[in-house]
Amino acid sequence: MVWARRLLLRLETLFRRNRVGQRLNDEIQFHLEQQIAENIAAGMSREEARYAAMRTFGNPTVLKEETRDTWGWIWLEQFGQNLRQSARALVRTPGFALIAVVIIAIGIGANVSLFTVVRSVLLKPLPFRDPERLVGLYERFSDSPFTYNVVAGGVFTEWKKQSHSFSDLAIVNGMEDYNLSGAGGQLPERVRGTECSWNLFPTLGVEPAVGRSFTRAEDQSSANATVILSWGLWKRRFGGDPAILNQTIHLDAKPYTVVGVMPSWFAYPEHSIQLWTPIFHELSPQRWQQLDSHQFVVIGRLNPGVTKAQATEELSIINHRLHEQHLDNPFVSAAANSRSLLDDVVGDITTPLYVLLAATACLLLIACLNVASLLVARGTARRKELAIRTALGGSRWCLFREHLTESFLLSAAGGAASLPIARAVIQWFVATRQDTARIEAIQMDGMVFGFAAGLIFLCALFAGTISAFSIKSDQILTSLQESSRSHSGGPGRVQLRKWLLSLEVALTVVLLIGAGLLIKSYARLRAFDLGCITNNVLTMGFALPQAEYSQPAQRANFWNPLLQRARSLPGVQAVTLGDFVPGQGRSWDNGFRIAEHPPLPPGQGLDSIVRFVDPGYFAALGIALRRGRTFDEYQSLDHYKKAIINESFARRYFPDEDPIGKHLITFDQKPYEIIGVVGDTRFLITKPPEPLMYFPMLYPNFATLAVRSSQDVTSLALPIQQFVQQLDPDLPVSDVLTIDQMIGKSTLDANFDATLLLAFAVLSLTLAAGGLFGVLSYIVTQRTTEIGIRIALGAQRREVLKLMLSDGLRPASVGLVLGLAGGAAVAETVRSLLYGVRPLDAGVFGAVAVILLSVACIACLLPAWRASRLDPMQALRSE
Amino acid sequence: MAKPNDLVQGTLDLLILKTVSLEPKHGWAIAKRIQQISGEVLQVQQGSLYPALHRLEQKAWIKAKWAETETGRQAKFYSLTAAGRAQLEKEAANWNRLSAAINLVVETT
């Protein structure tokens, strides 16, 4: 029980300190009185007895201190004392304290929020059972850039049959939009869903929150149609009513029975998915035989003890065998590839997030350097006080502790202020970047608060240590002597501040370069020519359900009035239909061959993006015709076998000949005559143009309607949608966007990254400029006398200005050089985020150098000018 | 005369433990007792007793109680705990061994 007693005693000395201290006084008082009484008894006078007692006892104050020491809480006491002292000192200089706290709050806030995002999105395991055993599986073509190529149905069938590495293999068909018909007066809408095998949910290890998962029996073509809803769709559209189970809803005009609702946190393959349907029921059986039609994502759960590499090897062997059996088909891959499901989900956002995190780390470092520099300046102002304290016996350790406490106080206050900032930033991020993978997982948790605490501690240590080391004990005497004449005070300390400043400038330059590269890249991106008219072109997507529009006549009854109506709207210049418009995405590609060319060796093939368009497409979208002609008006496609290619196609496949009159054989194995060559368009603004072949289209099920107008085209959306309602009340319209908006969406990433990095860079530039201004102002104050003497001796004011300017610009230039070197090293890492800009872009580097030097000049000019205006008499008298 | 600094810390602890082992004593009495018994050879600076007393109390080797003295005043009386008794035996044994060894060295010439 000794330890219990000890603990009790320690707690008593901690929590009842005053009482225990009083007791100690009583005890010592008693002792002295006893001794005095004894001395009097021995015959001394009262006065004498008291002195004698004191002599034999020793110095009571020191002894009391020593005794308190044994209670073991001395460090806490000292800490409290330091805290009080520092707090008082900070309150005395509220301006300094406020600036430092704000700087730290911004630095820590930015880091905490970015860390929250990175941790939630990239680091936290997926919320599935044993997520480390889940892998995304792909095919791999050795000779192409498609290292993670989506999987063909036939390949999946073979994998499932032959592989032994997985306890489960599930398949998902990307994204599929469904028309969800309204019931009870609701508007029809387009909802994003995905087709998946029945075992997707068991493979991931998740259960629906309501109802059940698909059964194996439901996942075949003969079964009745079933669907599982997302939590969001269920809440929004069906009022969260559990009675939805076993009810029928209409997707693409076909009845589906609802069997379950997924939990609210579940988002796979991504959070825009609102419903899941069984894939073997939805897709035709021959898809599971095709080896060359790649479109699925396969998820595997590794058997215990099997590594990802082993499993991939096994699948590669299967693929290789298939490849050998189908040497004539170039679109059968020879290998497999895999990555962890987490990488699979967040792959695209990894680099940008880490770049932003690095930028915020830079920002924090700059903030710390700035605060350290402020503390050093403060230390200088308090130099005499510190020197006197040291002379009176304050130990170095004691002073060091005080510095640390001070910077700790500042960091803690900054850290506390940073949390609301971080919260706001995260909310803003989540609201702005709805397209981010796993965005639903972003939240601040204990780990994040721990991270914030760690940052506070690091900042305090960093800033405190730097400022503490700026005091040199051998300078104490000098400091005291300096009081009489302050010539260039403490050159060592100024040197330290200059170094801090150089570092700050260097980091700023790195940030500026990063921001500059991204901004330039974004500007390039926006400046890319999509290859068609983008201004005032409205697009909207239609999907006529097969169930109601299986006959061309039915479709004609829909399209003809709609097109006619659209053409009649005021200001409309052209209306056209195509399966896709430029900037809308890659869509699909197909293998093809050219009838007039000799057959390629077996195992090789040609592949190109395919587009289906109506005759007015090129004119309506302003896609230039380079050669030949565009499609004629046709009433039927039975005999109209014509094709149009773009310039990239002509350049690549008809390098030295005239493509007009040649024939393409592709999806239906019939020859299509090439009648024209049109200008290149980009399927995404961020991607260079690729070869494209256009085929004629008439009364399609799936199409994008494009309307070009001479005036604001967005006002046309409503009348067209209302007309669609009249034609078919159950048909929703999707993605009502102008082409400009579409471009904005696909450049959102670049815009976002560039804007954020620019914000960081501007912040740090401000901090660095403030630092420069502060240091130079300080130097000027320090050298007032010297400058006064110089001027009195006849120095020209211009000379003084030059002298002071060069004093301030030297650290800036050193920082600039360091920063440019650092920037060159760092630029390489953002290469993957750049479009059309080389990492070592001379323009960006030059602009950054100019901006930095100008800002530095401005920051230095005021103090330097003030120095040159000094009145020598005043300066000399001020001592 | 030995100054308190010359007293090895452990030695002072041993003296205190031994002194309070017989009956509870207050600080002044402990100082007196050490002085008397050692025939005035060991003159502890009285004040330095208190840090030592408090340290031993924190280690739970002695415990303290406020009680009245024979003159009717409140004083803090220290007495040995069970752990303190064990410690006393250990330190006494140590001391005996050490002094015997030193004796041996000093007397064998």
Side-chain angles (χ1 to χ4, degrees):
Chain A
M1 292 333 262
V2 175
W3 61 267
R5 200 182 159 72
R6 283 180 191 162
L7 186 69
L8 220 67
L9 282 163
R10 299 218 80 172
L11 290 180
E12 194 182 5
T13 51
L14 174 61
F15 290 110
R16 302 177 62 190
R17 245 187 134 59
N18 288 336
R19 189 177 148 70
V20 175
Q22 188 54 50
R23 279 277 161 103
L24 176 63
N25 287 345
D26 292 348
E27 197 180 357
I28 288 173
Q29 192 58 40
F30 170 78
H31 184 116
L32 288 173
E33 278 168 21
Q34 285 295 106
Q35 189 62 41
I36 291 168
E38 198 197 58
N39 289 352
I40 290 175
M44 295 185 192
S45 76
R46 174 151 272 283
E47 195 73 348
E48 231 180 318
R50 212 169 70 80
Y51 279 124
M54 291 294 261
R55 259 200 314 279
T56 40
F57 189 81
N59 181 345
T61 316
V62 170
L63 287 164
K64 273 184 214 167
E65 281 291 309
E66 270 181 46
T67 310
R68 294 177 93 97
D69 241 347
T70 67
W71 297 347
W73 296 101
I74 195 73
W75 58 270
L76 194 70
E77 214 165 82
Q78 281 171 345
F79 182 66
Q81 201 180 346
N82 279 334
L83 219 54
R84 277 194 300 278
Q85 261 171 15
S86 307
R88 272 203 300 271
L90 288 177
V91 168
R92 268 202 306 275
T93 48
F96 160 80
L98 191 71
I99 291 176
V101 166
V102 167
I103 292 174
I104 290 183
I106 292 173
I108 293 185
N111 274 273
V112 167
S113 43
L114 237 308
F115 174 76
T116 307
V117 174
V118 166
R119 171 175 150 69
S120 308
V121 174
L122 302 182
L123 303 180
K124 255 193 226 165
L126 291 166
F128 305 140
R129 180 163 49 85
D130 299 339
E132 68 287 348
R133 300 232 314 272
L134 290 170
V135 285
L137 300 170
Y138 293 89
E139 296 185 50
R140 185 156 61 88
F141 288 91
S142 47
D143 56 343
S144 85
F146 305 117
T147 47
Y148 291 97
N149 202 76
V150 280
V151 179
V155 172
F156 173 69
T157 310
E158 292 303 316
W159 282 357
K160 198 131 196 183
K161 218 185 292 176
Q162 299 182 32
S163 77
H164 305 285
S165 304
F166 302 93
S167 58
D168 254 324
L169 273 178
I171 189 165
V172 178
N173 182 20
M175 284 177 289
E176 188 71 37
D177 286 352
Y178 289 94
N179 296 345
L180 177 57
S181 311
Q186 281 177 315
L187 285 174
E189 67 174 309
R190 247 359 226 152
V191 291
R192 181 145 289 177
T194 188
E195 293 140 349
C196 61
S197 55
W198 69 277
N199 63 351
L200 173 69
F201 304 109
T203 303
L204 297 176
V206 287
E207 293 277 338
V210 180
R212 58 174 175 82
S213 178
F214 297 123
T215 62
R216 190 193 292 267
E218 281 162 350
D219 195 12
Q220 49 193 0
S221 37
S222 58
N224 289 324
T226 48
V227 62
I228 291 180
L229 307 179
S230 75
W231 184 269
L233 181 67
W234 180 54
K235 280 279 178 201
R236 173 172 66 75
R237 183 92 184 184
F238 303 103
D241 185 359
I244 190 71
L245 286 184
N246 302 319
Q247 299 278 311
T248 302
I249 63 171
H250 283 83
L251 299 176
D252 288 343
K254 283 182 291 193
Y256 282 75
T257 306
V258 178
V259 300
V261 177
M262 292 312 288
S264 58
W265 56 263
F266 184 78
Y268 187 86
E270 55 170 277
H271 69 123
S272 64
I273 298 292
Q274 304 193 56
L275 49 85
W276 293 264
T277 53
I279 195 166
F280 288 92
H281 173 266
E282 296 294 305
L283 301 184
S284 68
Q286 63 261 33
R287 294 297 272 282
W288 310 112
Q289 311 302 324
Q290 292 169 354
L291 294 171
D292 55 355
S293 178
H294 311 272
Q295 78 176 102
F296 302 105
V297 177
V298 175
I299 299 153
R301 178 173 283 282
L302 292 170
N303 272 326
V306 179
T307 66
K308 197 171 70 163
Q310 289 166 346
T312 314
E313 184 58 30
E314 188 193 15
L315 297 183
S316 280
I317 291 171
I318 299 172
N319 278 26
H320 191 74
R321 210 176 301 139
L322 290 171
H323 181 76
E324 294 289 318
Q325 289 161 8
H326 299 84
L327 276 179
D328 53 327
N329 189 335
F331 305 113
V332 177
S333 71
N337 209 350
S338 69
R339 55 186 170 194
S340 76
L341 197 59
L342 182 59
D343 289 342
D344 204 38
V345 170
V346 299
D348 295 343
I349 191 112
T350 309
T351 315
L353 277 187
Y354 277 127
V355 166
L356 286 179
L357 190 63
T360 55
C362 258
L363 186 67
L364 183 62
L365 200 51
I366 290 171
C368 276
L369 285 172
N370 227 319
V371 171
S373 163
L374 281 174
L375 281 172
V376 173
R378 219 168 109 81
T380 319
R382 290 171 59 190
R383 196 174 49 205
K384 236 163 272 172
E385 175 205 332
L386 294 178
I388 290 171
R389 286 176 59 183
T390 315
L392 289 180
S395 69
R396 295 245 315 138
W397 167 235
C398 185
L399 291 178
F400 180 64
R401 218 165 39 204
E402 207 178 295
H403 272 275
L404 276 189
T405 320
E406 198 170 282
S407 71
F408 175 76
L409 260 183
L410 289 173
S411 305
S418 79
L419 288 179
I421 297 181
R423 244 182 93 80
V425 169
I426 291 167
Q427 271 168 3
W428 169 80
F429 181 89
V430 170
T432 323
R433 295 308 307 267
Q434 277 297 321
D435 58 324
T436 307
R438 300 190 73 193
I439 194 147
E440 71 286 345
I442 294 177
Q443 56 181 15
M444 294 171 93
D445 55 10
M447 183 74 153
V448 169
F449 291 114
F451 178 77
L455 282 187
I456 291 173
F457 184 72
L458 275 182
C459 282
L461 202 63
F462 183 79
T465 310
I466 286 186
S467 73
F469 274 105
S470 70
I471 317 166
K472 296 212 179 70
S473 47
D474 55 351
Q475 284 178 355
I476 289 164
L477 195 59
T478 334
S479 303
L480 288 171
Q481 287 167 338
E482 259 173 27
S483 56
S484 53
R485 279 239 158 256
S486 61
H487 10 270
S488 315
R493 196 162 313 188
V494 175
Q495 211 51 43
L496 180 70
R497 287 192 72 184
K498 282 185 179 167
W499 271 111
L500 291 181
L501 207 60
S502 297
L503 241 141
E504 216 172 292
V505 170
L507 285 171
T508 305
V509 168
V510 171
L511 275 182
L512 278 173
I513 288 175
L517 287 173
L518 289 183
I519 289 168
K520 185 160 182 186
S521 150
Y522 175 63
R524 278 278 163 84
L525 213 49
R526 289 309 295 243
F528 281 143
D529 185 8
L530 200 57
C532 70
I533 298 171
T534 62
N535 197 20
N536 276 331
V537 180
L538 180 73
T539 68
M540 46 182 85
F542 292 87
L544 308 185
Q546 197 64 32
E548 293 171 341
Y549 292 95
S550 56
Q551 299 307 312
Q554 293 168 321
R555 298 198 290 269
N557 281 340
F558 176 80
W559 287 121
N560 283 337
L562 179 63
L563 295 178
Q564 209 168 10
R565 173 62 186 247
R567 283 193 185 100
S568 71
L569 287 170
V572 169
Q573 293 173 321
V575 175
T576 183
L577 280 180
D579 58 348
F580 288 88
V581 294
Q584 210 173 13
R586 187 183 172 85
S587 73
W588 61 297
D589 40 357
N590 219 92
F592 70 94
R593 61 194 169 87
I594 298 160
E596 287 77 8
H597 286 187
L600 290 166
Q604 287 184 26
L606 308 174
D607 184 75
S608 159
I609 301 177
V610 181
R611 287 268 186 275
F612 289 94
V613 301
D614 75 1
Y617 185 85
F618 302 101
L621 293 176
I623 299 171
L625 178 68
R626 304 291 187 213
R627 320 212 17 210
R629 59 196 167 90
T630 57
F631 296 129
D632 317 280
E633 291 294 330
Y634 39 79
Q635 296 308 312
S636 145
L637 289 179
D638 295 343
H639 304 290
Y640 194 75
K641 301 295 177 203
K642 311 282 188 205
I644 292 173
I645 59 175
N646 70 358
E647 284 181 300
S648 293
F649 195 105
R651 257 200 310 279
R652 186 174 308 172
Y653 300 117
F654 300 100
D656 304 313
E657 53 188 322
D658 186 2
I660 307 290
K662 302 287 190 303
H663 291 81
L664 296 174
I665 299 174
T666 171
F667 48 90
D668 59 358
Q669 301 307 319
K670 293 187 180 129
Y672 282 77
E673 184 197 352
I674 299 173
I675 57 168
V677 178
V678 294
D680 280 339
T681 55
R682 289 171 177 249
F683 60 87
L684 267 185
I685 192 78
T686 53
K687 297 279 156 56
E690 282 189 26
L692 245 140
M693 39 191 190
Y694 295 92
F695 295 96
M697 173 174 94
L698 187 67
Y699 305 138
N701 279 95
F702 299 92
T704 299
L705 175 75
V707 178
R708 178 157 61 82
S709 166
S710 55
Q711 55 210 41
D712 180 21
V713 80
T714 46
S715 64
L716 300 177
L718 204 57
I720 296 179
Q721 275 172 297
Q722 280 165 347
F723 191 67
V724 172
Q725 273 286 294
Q726 289 171 28
L727 287 172
D728 183 347
D730 278 338
L731 188 75
V733 175
S734 65
D735 300 326
V736 182
L737 287 173
T738 65
I739 292 189
D740 276 331
Q741 285 170 333
M742 225 144 61
I743 296 174
K745 264 176 101 176
S746 49
T747 53
L748 182 64
D749 270 343
N751 187 4
F752 183 80
D753 299 342
T755 313
L756 266 194
L757 217 52
L758 180 67
F760 293 153
V762 167
L763 257 177
S764 48
L765 188 62
T766 316
L767 289 180
L772 265 175
F773 177 79
V775 168
L776 200 60
S777 300
Y778 169 71
I779 293 175
V780 169
T781 328
Q782 285 289 307
R783 294 174 65 175
T784 303
T785 320
E786 180 205 325
I787 297 168
I789 293 173
R790 276 172 191 258
I791 295 178
L793 290 181
Q796 290 298 306
R797 293 193 183 272
R798 207 144 46 87
E799 291 299 313
V800 174
L801 186 70
K802 241 199 293 190
L803 181 78
M804 295 318 295
L805 262 186
S806 74
D807 226 18
L809 287 182
R810 207 168 307 127
S813 322
V814 172
L816 178 63
V817 172
L818 285 177
L820 288 177
V826 164
E828 201 55 38
T829 62
V830 295
R831 181 189 277 276
S832 68
L833 304 179
L834 300 180
Y835 305 93
V837 180
R838 280 175 302 109
L840 295 180
D841 187 278
V844 169
F845 277 69
V848 165
V850 168
I851 289 174
L852 193 104
L853 283 180
S854 346
V855 170
C857 275
I858 294 170
C860 293
L861 210 54
L862 188 63
W865 183 78
R866 222 189 275 145
S868 72
R869 293 284 109 188
L870 269 181
D871 176 357
M873 283 315 288
Q874 285 257 298
L876 292 171
R877 213 179 282 142
S878 71
E879 280 301 323
Chain B
M1 188 183 294
K3 279 196 269 174
N5 286 354
D6 297 336
L7 271 176
V8 190
Q9 192 191 56
T11 322
L12 183 57
D13 288 0
L14 175 59
L15 290 179
I16 293 172
L17 289 175
K18 182 68 193 170
T19 314
V20 299
S21 68
L22 303 172
E23 53 172 352
K25 281 190 181 60
H26 52 70
W28 186 72
I30 296 170
K32 278 283 144 202
R33 176 96 185 145
I34 293 175
Q35 232 163 315
Q36 280 169 3
I37 302 246
S38 69
E40 309 278 323
V41 173
L42 293 177
Q43 194 153 28
V44 182
Q45 187 196 15
Q46 292 179 357
S48 63
L49 206 57
Y50 287 91
L53 278 170
H54 279 249
R55 192 177 56 249
L56 293 176
E57 191 189 352
Q58 290 286 330
K59 284 183 174 167
W61 286 338
I62 55 178
K63 60 183 180 211
K65 209 173 118 195
W66 284 81
E68 272 190 13
T69 63
E70 55 274 28
T71 58
R73 292 213 38 197
Q74 284 285 322
K76 196 177 180 188
F77 283 85
Y78 294 93
S79 57
L80 210 58
T81 63
R85 194 166 297 283
Q87 181 67 17
L88 171 60
E89 276 163 24
K90 212 168 81 187
E91 287 198 13
N94 261 346
W95 172 257
N96 284 336
R97 230 184 38 227
L98 190 66
S99 57
I102 292 175
N103 266 337
L104 217 58
V105 173
V106 172
E107 282 166 16
T108 328
T109 32

